[in-house]
Amino acid sequence: MPSKTQLPSPPFPNSRIEKINYVSKLESSDVARDILLRLAKEFNPILIDLGYRIDRLGEMCCCHAKMGRNTKILGYCMPNGDGKTSRGIYIRLRHPQTHAFYDYPQISGTLAHEISHIKHSSHSAEFYEWMDHIQDLHDEVCSNGGKLRNPENPWNAVEGGGKQLGGG
């Protein structure tokens, strides 16, 4: 079973993700670490605006854990039940068995999907509407230098032109 490495907690100031874990014994573990940090930084402004918190963001691998061995699953969320917190979200960064990395848009889309489970446990119409909203917010953050700027968005209306990446 590959060992996991945890980054310092929290991984950066104002982080709404408390811990980040990646599989350190797999080849290119530094790439996995960097992908998870990029995800955390890009999704942090969204988590702040929604009032969400993720206790642990981790790499899911086919080499361990019951969920990881089901190679059809690209991620899973363990919601706390309060509609605002996940005890953990685990994302498959690599193709099972070959360990080649998935494309980043697929990985970030999987994270948007799993974040949606914090609010909606089942794959209902409301779930997919919320997931589309989170993906739209992620696109906004990425195209606006780490900021949410859309004042017409009722979920993230911000005075002064947006929030900095990392919540500043």
Side-chain angles (χ1 to χ4, degrees):
M1 174 189 306
S3 67
K4 292 220 172 207
T5 298
Q6 181 175 303
L7 294 175
S9 297
F12 51 88
N14 302 316
S15 177
R16 299 296 299 210
I17 298 171
E18 185 61 30
K19 298 174 184 163
I20 296 177
N21 293 94
Y22 60 97
V23 181
S24 59
K25 290 195 175 181
L26 288 177
E27 187 175 326
S28 302
S29 63
D30 57 330
V31 174
R33 178 200 62 222
D34 292 348
I35 290 170
L36 290 167
L37 277 170
R38 178 179 173 187
L39 288 168
K41 288 180 180 178
E42 288 178 1
F43 280 88
N44 198 59
I46 299 163
L47 297 173
I48 289 170
D49 269 8
L50 298 176
Y52 283 11
R53 189 183 86 237
I54 299 171
D55 292 340
R56 183 179 309 272
L57 176 63
E59 178 181 11
M60 182 173 66
C61 179
C62 62
C63 302
H64 61 83
K66 61 183 175 184
M67 294 299 282
R69 289 191 182 118
N70 183 342
T71 57
K72 294 179 183 176
I73 295 174
L74 295 177
Y76 69 95
C77 176
M78 298 181 301
N80 198 33
D82 61 2
K84 294 286 184 181
T85 309
S86 172
R87 292 187 313 269
I89 291 180
Y90 295 86
I91 304 292
R92 191 178 305 281
L93 305 177
R94 309 164 193 248
H95 190 277
Q97 287 80 40
T98 68
H99 295 141
F101 287 98
Y102 287 115
D103 291 334
Y104 187 78
Q106 180 176 351
I107 294 169
S108 64
T110 300
L111 182 55
H113 179 103
E114 298 309 327
I115 288 171
S116 300
H117 279 303
I118 295 173
K119 183 173 181 176
H120 299 284
S121 59
S122 66
H123 293 121
S124 63
E126 293 84 11
F127 169 87
Y128 286 106
E129 182 180 327
W130 190 242
M131 183 180 79
D132 287 345
H133 174 66
I134 290 174
Q135 287 177 315
D136 289 345
L137 290 175
H138 181 251
D139 291 344
E140 186 179 325
V141 166
C142 291
S143 65
N144 288 319
K147 296 178 182 182
L148 290 173
R149 292 187 178 192
N150 184 354
E152 297 175 14
N153 185 335
W155 288 289
N156 70 355
V158 177
E159 293 181 29
K163 290 187 178 179
Q164 266 309 79
L165 178 64

